[in-house]
Amino acid sequence: MRNRERVLNLSLTLFNQQGIAHVSTLQITTELDISPGNLYYHFRNKEDIAKALVQEFDQAICRMRTEFSNQVTTLEDYPPFLLSLMALLAQYRFVLRDLETLVLGEPDLKRNFSHLYNSLKTLNKRMFDHLDHLDALNIEKEDQKFLADNSLMIAIGWVNQLSMVSNEQEHAMILRQGVSRLVALVQPHLNTTA
């Protein structure tokens, strides 16, 4: 694995575990056993690393949006898709959790996050439009927008709970519980005759 990927992988882990404000480039270089110059060859600073990770996250969301229609053809396909989406949110949870740290004073990061958030909203809207297309929803269009926004906020908030647990079994359980909450949010609006 090249040093750039090693820096990104370790930084993602450290940012998720400790928060971006508590990680330094010195810590990254020390843990990777590379020189600071090697890190600075790829990234000018910690913010550049964060920017690259936000872009990776955005690209992954865009791939999910593209693959969505092939993966979700019935109502039963939603929970597994939601679980994979929650897992992706969890993989890059520092972005959602440390938003203020990321965007204050960093216009590029703010733009990147804004694009990412719009990608998430577009994917979420597409999921609800698809439920509507399947005639599975019994809700007015205007209320559907609120439901979509609320589900996204719940997903982001739920993923942030991962910061409070330390092992992978608990992470998996929290992600499954998050999917259950999202399904429960939509359940009252499902068309029982579909």
Side-chain angles (χ1 to χ4, degrees), residues 4 70 86 93 97 106 116 143:
R4 184 179 194 282
N70 294 329
M86 291 288 280
R93 66 187 170 276
R97 184 190 62 221
E106 284 294 329
L116 167 69
D143 292 334

Side-chain angles (χ1 to χ4, degrees), residues 6-129:
R6 291 177 64 218
V7 168
L8 289 173
N9 289 342
L10 177 65
S11 298
L12 180 59
T13 300
L14 293 174
F15 292 168
N16 281 337
Q17 289 172 349
Q18 300 173 23
I20 191 168
H22 301 286
V23 176
S24 68
T25 54
L26 179 60
Q27 180 183 3
I28 295 166
T29 58
T30 301
E31 290 201 29
L32 287 175
D33 195 26
I34 61 173
S35 70
N38 202 320
L39 182 138
Y40 296 131
Y41 176 77
H42 300 288
F43 304 100
R44 289 176 305 175
N45 51 36
K46 178 173 60 173
E47 289 72 24
D48 274 359
I49 298 169
K51 196 179 343 175
L53 290 169
V54 170
Q55 288 171 339
E56 271 185 16
F57 188 15
D58 190 25
Q59 290 167 357
I61 292 294
C62 290
R63 278 191 303 276
M64 286 192 93
R65 196 174 65 218
T66 303
E67 298 163 1
F68 169 74
S69 57
N70 294 329
Q71 292 182 7
V72 180
T73 57
T74 68
L75 196 55
E76 290 75 29
D77 296 332
Y78 271 89
F81 182 81
L82 287 174
L83 187 58
S84 64
L85 177 59
M86 291 288 280
L88 181 62
L89 296 179
Q91 182 181 352
Y92 290 92
R93 66 187 170 276
F94 86 93
V95 176
L96 305 170
R97 184 190 62 221
D98 299 347
L99 178 59
E100 188 173 309
T101 303
L102 286 168
V103 299
L104 283 179
E106 284 294 329
D108 286 346
L109 270 171
K110 190 172 187 173
R111 273 191 299 278
N112 287 7
F113 181 81
S114 181
H115 190 273
L116 167 69
Y117 188 70
N118 286 330
S119 294
L120 280 167
K121 284 186 74 162
T122 301
L123 172 59
N124 202 40
K125 181 184 179 315
R126 184 173 286 181
M127 291 188 324
F128 278 89
D129 287 346

